Amino acid sequence: MSLALSTLLYEWRRYMAAVVALAFSGLLVLAQLGMFVGMGKAWTATIDRATADIMILPPGAEGLQGGGASLPRRVMPMVWSHPEVEAVADLDGSWGRLRSIPKPGDDTSKPRQPEQVQITAIDTGPDAVTIPSDYSTELVEALRQPFAIAVDETSLGRLGVQLGDKAIYNGKTVHVRAVLRGYPNMQIASVVMSRDTLRMLGEANNGNRVGPLMVRIKDPGRAEIVANQLNRTANGLYKAETRTNLSKFSLIDMVKFQIVGIMLGFSVFLGTLIGVAITWQTLRGAIMANIKEFASLRALGVSMSSLRNIVMELSFWVGIVGLLASFILTWLISLLAAAGNVVMAYPPSVLVLVGVMLILIALMSGFLSLGVLKNSQPADLLR
């Protein structure tokens, strides 16, 4: 066992503040990144979980959000004419207000106000291209029932409804037949229903313009090629994007649309600043407390460069322990977030990035503390 690691193990109290500083710096950054990535996954959930290989959008659209009925209906037969296209359907939807119906025993002195909701309609026929890949057969069967709706679990409390409840949507009674997972919407509650139910509510789009088109092709591996071919024949009426590209563009659009990017950058900067400042001062204080031991090593003939290597190795091990503590704290926070239906996600690249950042903070703090070794003069042992 090296001298640096032995020092950390036997005098861990002196270095605990540095470990805690690194752990909470990592937690600050990881929590923000986790929420950001979770928001991104929620923002692009409709795209990522679609069974379509290609999506057709208006020429200037950045994503599915806010697309509306912006495409001429004649675009549908134009897309159908491609020999590799297997299915085409428009993504219909609407907007409205939904109000829960009080149940026996509820306090009716303060009636709940209607909530604005965004409606997404799917086809419930066999192998429909508008059905997301994570919808179970039971969920689709539930939505086949007249006036049935599905609500994401994160919106149940906001809307004041539970599975099996009735509600009033734009003056008509609907039934909550299913609860979705993984489709949160921070801005407005999302409600899913069948196209038939939307038609019975009188809000289906039957005009000359349609919403984004979901396209399935015979060979999904040729999605990029087919999308380029469709774009060459678009004549400015639409643009075709593969599901992967559209998900990436939608995430970029979310960053531009919200202040998430600014918040994320500030959190990373703040976490780095706090980590360096506290870790540096803690390591400096710990080295000062052990200055006589370092002076003894110099008296025994250990060179100054070897002492610097010991300090840098000690900083590295402090970074490793702080990194482990940070991941444990982040895991606990993720459990609390999951209990509150808050989506947090941690891609491996994010974990690696934060891990490298914490190790660099520890090494930088150790480097800034090297100046203390100048006080490790053997003559000081005689004082």
Side-chain angles (χ1 to χ4, degrees), residues 13-290:
R13 291 179 181 84
R14 289 180 176 176
Y15 299 93
M16 182 55 65
V19 171
V20 171
L22 285 173
F24 278 94
S25 296
L27 175 62
L28 175 63
V29 176
L30 278 173
Q32 293 286 345
L33 285 170
M35 291 184 64
F36 172 75
V37 176
M39 289 165 54
K41 287 185 174 295
W43 184 265
T44 61
T46 304
I47 301 171
D48 296 334
R49 303 172 193 178
T51 54
D53 303 304
I54 298 172
M55 298 180 185
I56 308 296
L57 306 172
E62 298 285 347
L64 292 182
Q65 290 78 13
S70 304
L71 287 169
R73 189 173 288 274
R74 68 178 184 275
V75 168
M76 295 184 71
M78 291 174 60
V79 176
W80 263 116
S81 64
H82 193 285
E84 296 191 52
V85 170
E86 192 174 64
V88 179
D90 65 305
L91 195 62
D92 204 355
S94 185
W95 301 80
R97 290 189 173 275
L98 188 141
R99 176 175 56 85
S100 61
I101 298 177
K103 295 181 284 293
D106 289 349
D107 183 9
T108 58
S109 60
K110 296 181 180 179
R112 180 182 288 271
Q113 297 299 315
E115 289 281 344
Q116 184 84 12
V117 295
Q118 179 182 2
I119 303 296
T120 300
I122 66 167
D123 298 293
T124 54
D127 203 28
V129 71
T130 54
I131 299 177
S133 59
D134 62 335
Y135 277 27
S136 64
T137 304
E138 293 76 15
L139 193 155
V140 176
E141 185 64 34
L143 289 177
R144 287 197 181 104
Q145 302 177 45
F147 299 101
I149 64 172
V151 181
D152 188 79
E153 60 182 356
T154 57
S155 298
L156 293 175
R158 189 194 318 184
L159 299 176
V161 296
Q162 295 295 328
L163 182 63
D165 287 353
K166 295 181 180 180
I168 303 297
Y169 170 74
N170 286 354
K172 296 182 180 179
T173 303
V174 293
H175 305 265
V176 182
R177 300 295 189 188
V179 176
L180 304 175
R181 292 183 63 90
Y183 292 87
N185 192 322
M186 297 181 301
Q187 298 174 327
I188 185 172
S190 298
V191 174
V192 177
M193 62 179 62
S194 68
R195 195 186 299 268
D196 293 332
T197 293
L198 189 65
R199 188 177 296 112
M200 288 186 286
L201 292 171
E203 298 185 11
N205 180 23
N206 298 314
N208 294 325
R209 305 192 73 83
V210 295
L213 301 183
M214 315 293 276
V215 181
R216 183 187 297 138
I217 61 176
K218 297 175 182 177
D219 182 6
R222 288 177 51 82
E224 189 78 38
I225 298 173
V226 174
N228 291 333
Q229 293 172 349
L230 289 172
N231 283 326
R232 284 196 292 269
T233 60
N235 296 322
L237 291 176
Y238 62 85
K239 71 173 182 179
E241 293 286 358
T242 63
R243 187 173 68 248
T244 303
N245 288 341
L246 187 58
S247 178
K248 179 178 65 176
F249 295 151
S250 295
L251 189 59
I252 295 173
D253 184 52
M254 184 195 76
V255 176
K256 293 190 297 184
F257 181 69
Q258 303 185 33
I259 63 171
V260 177
I262 298 175
M263 293 172 57
L264 184 62
F266 180 75
S267 296
V268 172
F269 171 76
L270 186 62
T272 304
L273 185 63
I274 292 174
V276 171
I278 299 179
T279 307
W280 169 35
Q281 292 301 313
T282 302
L283 286 175
R284 188 176 185 277
I287 294 171
M288 282 295 295
N290 290 331

